[in-house]
Amino acid sequence: RHSLFQDRLQALLLRYLPNGVQMPECSILTSKGVKVADVVWASDAFFARYRDTTPYPKAPDLCIEVASPSNTTYELHEKAQLYLAAGAAEVWIVREDGTVELYGPEGQRTQSVFGVTVAPLEV
């Protein structure tokens, strides 16, 4: 289920944000060490700058966490805050039922700043 959500998310990003790169399992240096986002979207400018760097010293523009049964709400929100503090413009948390929560530096959002319509995902 987790991998299927990742696949759906990458297809969604490719459709709505073709001028960038979407990647699964992306390592990002945060203030609490290296974290791995399930899916990210990076603008062409971000990718040109950091391309093969591992881990990325800055978070890509959009970071997405897909909840697993072992994840706590606290853990997911903490990772969202770490990605935002590391430079992400937006973070999505995809719950096990497919609902998607969007976050920016100001807190939870009702719409994506990237113009992507995010409806509950199905697998």
Side-chain angles (χ1 to χ4, degrees), residues 50-109:
Y50 297 111
R51 191 170 197 86
D52 296 329
T53 305
T54 304
Y56 283 142
K58 181 178 188 248
D61 308 74
L62 172 61
C63 297
I64 305 172
E65 279 298 312
V66 178
S68 296
S70 62
N71 291 129
T72 65
T73 297
Y74 175 81
E75 176 184 20
L76 293 167
H77 286 163
E78 180 182 43
K79 284 180 98 173
Q81 292 306 311
L82 289 170
Y83 297 145
L84 290 166
E90 189 166 275
V91 176
W92 299 355
I93 296 175
V94 179
R95 298 292 179 172
E96 289 182 273
D97 64 0
T99 58
V100 182
E101 300 169 5
L102 300 97
Y103 295 89
E106 76 287 353
Q108 193 163 4
R109 295 179 171 164

